Amino acid sequence: MLNVPSQSFPAPSSQQRVAPSGRNKVGLKPGRSLMDWIRLTKSGRDLTGLRGRLIEVTEEELRKHNTRDDCWTCIRGMVYNVSPYMEFHPGGEDELMRAAGVDGTDLFDQVHRWVNYESMLKECLVGRMAVKTSTVSQAQLNTEKKISPVNGLPTTLPALVLEPPSAPPKAPPPPKDHRPRFDWFQTESTVSVVVYTKRKIPNAGCAVIDLQDGALRMEVLLGKLSYLLHLRLSHEVEECISIQTVSTVGTVQVSLRKAAKVHWTQLGEPLDSHDSFLRRKDRAVYFRECTLVSKTDITHDTRVFCFRLPRGSHMEVPVGKHVYLKALIQGSEVVKPYTPVDSTLMPDSEDPTDSGHTDIFLMIKVYPNGVFTPHLDALNIGDSLSISSPEGPFGLRLVREVTHLYLLAAGTGFTPMARLIRLALLNLDSLRKVKLMFFNRRERDILWQSELDALALQEDRFQVEYVLSEPSDGWTGRRGRIEAAMLADFLSSPEESKRLVCVCGPTPFTEHAQGLVREFGYSDEEIHAFQG
């Protein structure tokens, strides 16, 4: 029997992230939903064709299974028979067949790294790829450099040196160490940990702290990289955390209050991945249990869910970033990405929550026939849900010098735009105009319409226009779906402007909108697509 790794999410080697461009979806036959697939995997049916056996698979064997009815693929060293899953795959059979009989890890990562494939396909597991062993002959290892005869002298004698040897080249200077480092110090009542990032950092939002059961996990998010401290503290501390960031010199200081006034001789014992500096996509997604504290209706089918982090946790989700929600539904772990919003479109204060906690607001549309959102909607106040650290490629550098910001949103694709609008109007001195074109089916589907209208009246730089595909007879605004004609005036800007177009919505909308924007002369650097 093979030593099969745990199917929990995320597996230590998983790189489960969202591809920025999203993915195409196809219409599935009746009875082929995610819930139907979960029921099939629980039915006891043999989905591998091996009657429960696990085998080692060679590359030659993998290549043999490359047809629609006999399709094996490899993801991160594990081989799955995906033939039973063909009709359940939202991306269609053609996408799965691209990985038939070969290693499909790269294709998987390009489209949907965030999907919990270990849990989804655990009943389709065939086995592990056989490890190739590379051998080097002893003769190769023992080969010595031969010296050719010089002027007929034996090879054992040195050749005559006619010129003095040149001085050995100077060793190049050692490369500059860009790796962050940490230190710690204490007073009678506190212990402080300082991370020196060696670069400029934002004033807030780059440090995620989790203090649970005596273990301190401190992750500093540095663009595409992540620096992690993970320690079992040598003494008890209280759950309250104080964070101080100095952006210009790149330091993050976390102060903890000692449970007892004793002198610490060491900070603690290292845990997994302590003092590691990795690409964020190479680090496993980390979750903490958060508590539902409120639900607020926004429209007939959309609500704002407010989750509170544990008292020992601190996390600020930067503008444009998303988090993952994870829940166990009928025995299978389901993970979905959502972009946080503020409690309102333009909150009165920077931190409307209690100082001892961090609240996360998520505006989510509930689909009655969905898998995840009905489960989420059924949670009672006080119930818990797993929420990840911030993820996503968006960075403030994209909007730092923008003069004209154009936003194209469809449905709940408005959620990443909400905080971006506030950031732009309050913090971007160069900004001259923010224009939002908001697409929905009916008037009752428009999110925060009254707040958007009020902001447009109060702020000369902000403009909003609504487009409905199924309007009522009394609707006086734009009708239809996104097309080039309606974007002509919307995207117009002075020649000297620095412009950015942000797009978010269902995948077909996002891809079509990006194509239309390019037709108006916008470059790829001037277009950003959020995860829908």
Side-chain angles (χ1 to χ4, degrees), residues 36 85 141 380 502 527:
D36 294 313
Y85 185 60
L141 292 175
N380 297 314
C502 293
I527 305 171

Side-chain angles (χ1 to χ4, degrees), residues 96-295:
L96 280 183
M97 288 304 297
R98 293 173 63 195
V102 297
D103 191 316
T105 304
D106 288 342
L107 287 172
F108 176 85
D109 284 348
Q110 290 171 15
V111 181
H112 40 41
R113 281 185 290 229
W114 63 278
V115 171
N116 185 4
Y117 71 90
E118 294 106 325
S119 178
M120 292 278 292
L121 298 176
K122 62 185 177 182
E123 299 301 327
C124 299
L125 181 63
V126 171
R128 190 192 301 274
M129 284 296 295
V131 179
K132 277 189 173 182
T133 57
S134 59
T135 58
V136 179
S137 68
Q138 191 63 36
Q140 289 175 300
L141 292 175
N142 293 335
T143 299
E144 294 180 356
K145 205 175 205 182
K146 293 184 178 180
I147 305 175
S148 300
V150 179
N151 296 331
L153 294 175
T155 58
T156 54
L157 295 177
L160 294 176
V161 178
L162 301 180
E163 295 181 4
S166 58
K170 292 183 179 180
K176 189 174 181 180
D177 183 11
H178 294 284
R179 177 189 171 87
R181 66 178 183 87
F182 80 100
D183 201 353
W184 70 284
F185 62 91
Q186 62 182 310
T187 66
E188 184 182 29
S189 57
T190 65
V191 171
S192 297
V193 182
V194 184
V195 172
Y196 302 92
T197 66
K198 304 180 182 178
R199 65 208 74 200
K200 290 184 178 181
I201 56 176
N203 288 316
C206 69
V208 181
I209 314 297
D210 290 283
L211 177 62
Q212 304 293 331
D213 300 323
L216 174 67
R217 187 182 190 277
M218 178 178 178
E219 185 174 5
V220 182
L221 312 177
L222 303 169
K224 295 181 180 181
L225 300 170
S226 163
Y227 180 67
L228 178 67
L229 300 180
H230 195 195
L231 292 148
R232 173 76 57 188
L233 298 176
S234 59
H235 295 274
E236 289 187 16
V237 295
E238 297 178 2
E239 288 184 325
C240 57
I241 296 173
S242 174
I243 299 178
Q244 182 179 4
T245 301
V246 183
S247 60
T248 53
V249 296
T251 61
V252 180
Q253 178 176 317
V254 174
S255 297
L256 311 171
R257 185 166 293 278
K258 295 178 179 178
K261 295 181 179 180
V262 297
H263 181 76
W264 291 25
T265 58
Q266 63 176 9
L267 182 58
E269 294 294 330
L271 296 174
D272 291 344
S273 301
H274 173 62
D275 195 19
S276 60
F277 189 42
L278 302 174
R279 292 183 304 173
R280 293 186 63 190
K281 71 176 186 177
D282 294 334
R283 198 181 294 284
V285 180
Y286 183 82
F287 290 86
R288 74 277 300 148
E289 290 298 307
C290 301
T291 303
L292 180 64
V293 295
S294 70
K295 287 191 282 189

Side-chain angles (χ1 to χ4, degrees), residues 15-24 106-115 281 322 324 337 391-394 505 507 510-511 514 528-532:
Q15 301 176 7
Q16 305 197 15
R17 300 288 192 274
V18 179
S21 61
R23 60 184 175 126
N24 293 322
D106 288 342
L107 287 172
F108 176 85
D109 284 348
Q110 290 171 15
V111 181
H112 40 41
R113 281 185 290 229
W114 63 278
V115 171
K281 71 176 186 177
H322 58 265
Y324 296 113
E391 301 288 344
F394 183 83
T507 300
T510 299
E511 293 183 347
Q514 288 177 281
H528 178 80
F530 286 103
Q531 166 63 30

Side-chain angles (χ1 to χ4, degrees), residues 337-365:
Y338 294 99
T339 303
V341 297
D342 292 319
S343 56
T344 62
L345 181 62
M346 300 291 286
D348 295 331
S349 65
E350 288 293 331
D351 185 9
T353 64
D354 294 336
S355 59
H357 301 93
T358 300
D359 289 354
I360 297 177
F361 297 90
L362 299 164
M363 185 184 291
I364 298 175
K365 181 175 182 178

Side-chain angles (χ1 to χ4, degrees), residues 352-398:
T353 64
D354 294 336
S355 59
H357 301 93
T358 300
D359 289 354
I360 297 177
F361 297 90
L362 299 164
M363 185 184 291
I364 298 175
K365 181 175 182 178
V366 177
Y367 295 89
N369 298 323
V371 175
F372 193 86
T373 55
H375 172 85
L376 181 63
D377 198 38
L379 293 178
N380 297 314
I381 303 302
D383 288 346
S384 62
L385 191 74
S386 297
I387 298 183
S388 79
S389 300
E391 301 288 344
F394 183 83
L396 295 184
R397 57 179 177 76
L398 292 174

